[in-house]
Amino acid sequence: MNIEAIKAFAREALKDDTSGHDWKHALRVEKNARAITPSDLPASEKEVILAASFLHDTIDEKVEHKKTMAEVRQVLEENGASSTQVADILNIIKNISYANNLEEKQPLNETGQIVQDADRLDALGAIGIARAFYYGGHKGDALYDETAPRDVKDLTAANYREGTSVLNHFYEKLFQLEKQMNTTLGTAEAVRRTRFMRAFIEEFYGEITE
Ligand code: ADP
Ligand code: NI
């Protein structure tokens, strides 16, 4: 697979993004994915993980130069991906997002589980805190308000994006992620990053409570 060409396609789609799905996010997902990929995985599956890490947000509605599934399929076919690799990558891109997994858990094979964990790790820890406040600013949400976080079981793909404060987002999504990780290595890092986020939120409450 010509990974460099696929990388260039994804970089083009994600450039100028201000919703937290910019190119640097894709690069961090690649880094996280490499750290949790078993070294004995077949080379063809390692390629799927890299390509999906770069491409996973290129079809997201929030991305400015958004691509279609057909365009992603085409770039993969033109750059030497086998039909199995194309099918695997498209399935990962379609199924990994938090919103798509609220009502029903989407099926993912091992490569998909690794990319999903790598993506989730970037919503956690110091970078996760930064992205949450950045995204809240992008959407015009309050830092915090009087509303209580919604119960996770009441969230659907449709209402997940409705206005919520950034502080509530920690309870509606970010603190849920460590329980939903797929891989052992990913879970360990998610637990570590979540502990840091909880300490931050505790400090935050101390400063805003009268
Ligand atoms: P996914 O790719 O799993 O659908 P999102 O696109 O919802 O994830 O999230 C991308 C980034 O933006 C994450 O770091 C996430 O925590 C943050 N984010 C998403 N929704 C909100 C929100 N309502 N308030 C603050 N941050 C958010
Ligand atoms: Ni992502």
Side-chain angles (χ1 to χ4, degrees), residues 130-184:
R131 289 180 74 213
F133 286 100
Y134 184 84
Y135 184 86
H138 170 86
K139 270 191 33 191
D141 293 341
L143 294 179
Y144 58 93
D145 60 20
E146 283 66 42
T147 63
R150 294 168 292 178
D151 199 310
V152 183
K153 38 181 208 321
D154 299 330
L155 294 177
T156 62
N159 72 13
Y160 164 64
R161 304 227 164 267
E162 283 167 15
T164 195
S165 71
V166 178
L167 186 56
N168 282 351
H169 182 69
F170 281 79
Y171 297 91
E172 293 177 1
K173 172 180 178 182
L174 304 178
F175 290 151
Q176 307 300 325
L177 294 177
E178 64 177 344
K179 294 176 268 188
Q180 299 174 2
M181 300 294 284
N182 306 301
T183 66
T184 311

Side-chain angles (χ1 to χ4, degrees), residues 184-195:
T184 311
L185 285 173
T187 304
E189 180 62 7
V191 167
R192 198 184 73 79
R193 292 189 185 200
T194 302
R195 201 178 306 133

Side-chain angles (χ1 to χ4, degrees), residues 9-10 13 55-61 63-76 86 89-90 93-94:
F9 169 91
L55 293 167
H56 79 278
D57 279 330
T58 57
I59 56 155
D60 195 299
E61 288 305 329
V63 166
E64 183 150 341
H65 307 285
K66 173 185 166 325
K67 304 289 186 186
T68 63
M69 243 348 164
E71 287 170 316
V72 174
R73 174 187 288 280
Q74 192 185 349
V75 77
L76 289 169
V86 173
I89 294 164
L90 296 183
I93 297 176
K94 236 185 292 171

Side-chain angles (χ1 to χ4, degrees), residues 20-21 25 29 56-57 96 119 131:
H21 301 85
H25 164 63
V29 174
H56 79 278
D57 279 330
I96 67 168
D119 189 31
R131 289 180 74 213

